[in-house]
Amino acid sequence: MIALLGLLLIVPGWLAANWLGIRTTVDRVALIPGMSIVMVLLAGIAVLAVWRGPLSVAKGWTVVALAIGLGAALRF
């Protein structure tokens, strides 16, 4: 469970950090979790806007995958 929370709070922001110009360790510690939360929220809004209905497990995993994909797209 802790690993999934780390996946949700670290990976999207960590992937996008270089594109956003975050270079120092202090900046990374301060900004990566916040960026990850914002990317997950935006991915959630997009998924629920397109895929109507109540939130389910499949939609939740889609949101996580979309947020990580967004971070990876910003990295490359």
Side-chain angles (χ1 to χ4, degrees), residues 44-45 47-56 59-60:
I45 290 169
V47 166
L48 290 177
V50 172
W51 193 1
R52 307 290 286 178
L55 184 64
S56 64
K59 290 178 188 174

Side-chain angles (χ1 to χ4, degrees), residues 7-24:
L7 176 79
L8 193 63
L9 286 177
I10 302 294
V11 174
W14 176 70
L15 288 172
N18 288 337
W19 184 77
L20 295 169
I22 299 171
R23 305 263 187 257
T24 65

Side-chain angles (χ1 to χ4, degrees), residues 38-69:
V38 168
M39 285 196 283
V40 168
L41 287 173
L42 291 175
I45 290 169
V47 166
L48 290 177
V50 172
W51 193 1
R52 307 290 286 178
L55 184 64
S56 64
V57 174
K59 290 178 188 174
W61 281 111
T62 305
V63 167
V64 171
L66 185 62
I68 292 173

